Every structure is written in C-alpha cells, then in structure tokens.
Amino acid sequence: MVVGRIVAAHGIRGQVRVEPTTDFYGRFAKGSRLLLNGGWVTVESFSVHRDRPLLKLSGIDSMTAAESLKWAELSVADDAPPPLD
C-alpha cells in the first residue's frame, strides 16, 4: 500500500520531503520500515515541514542521492495495520 511519494530533496544530508497518501503520519515514525524502489529502508528521523513529512531514510546520505528519488513511491506491506495513538 502506497503511503507517500517523494517530491523533493531537503538539505544536504539526504532528507526527503514526502507528499503523503495516508492520514496516519505514524507510518513515517522513526524506526519504521518502508518499501522504496523494491527494497526496504528504515526511517532514521521524521518531522513535519510545511505540512509535509520530512524523512531521513537509511542509506540516503547526500542531496544527490535524495534528488535521485524524486517521484519514487514509499509503501508499507498491505497487511500492516496503521499505528494507533
């Protein structure tokens, strides 16, 4: 299930801005695992910037790497329930 799409790089340390397709921002919490381009990545940090999730993903450590992900979709397993508060 797609939970967001990367729309831009943010800063020089590999953070990405995400256009969410879910109301459950808990899916982007630190430590969450997301499917990106056929492989799993871990969310190293999460914040909200201008009403959009701002994520630092494992293995994405530069602006160039983050920019190469523009328009990539982030997904979770279809059977993963949304986290509850």
Side-chain angles (χ1 to χ4, degrees):
M1 177 170 70
V2 176
V3 294
R5 176 174 291 146
I6 296 172
V7 294
H10 182 88
I12 62 170
R13 293 185 179 93
Q15 292 177 307
V16 293
R17 276 187 294 172
V18 175
E19 177 70 38
T21 58
T22 181
D23 291 330
F24 300 103
Y25 278 22
R27 292 191 186 271
F28 304 113
K30 182 178 179 179
S32 297
R33 292 179 45 87
L34 301 171
L35 188 62
L36 172 67
N37 292 337
W40 292 99
V41 294
T42 302
V43 177
E44 293 180 358
S45 70
F46 163 77
S47 61
V48 177
H49 178 71
R50 296 186 181 179
D51 297 325
R52 289 192 178 168
L54 183 64
L55 306 178
K56 170 65 179 85
L57 302 172
S58 61
I60 311 302
D61 298 317
S62 69
M63 183 187 305
T64 304
E67 287 173 342
S68 72
L69 297 174
K70 189 171 183 179
W71 305 123
E73 293 181 336
L74 296 165
S75 302
V76 295
D78 288 335
D79 59 352
L84 301 176
D85 291 336

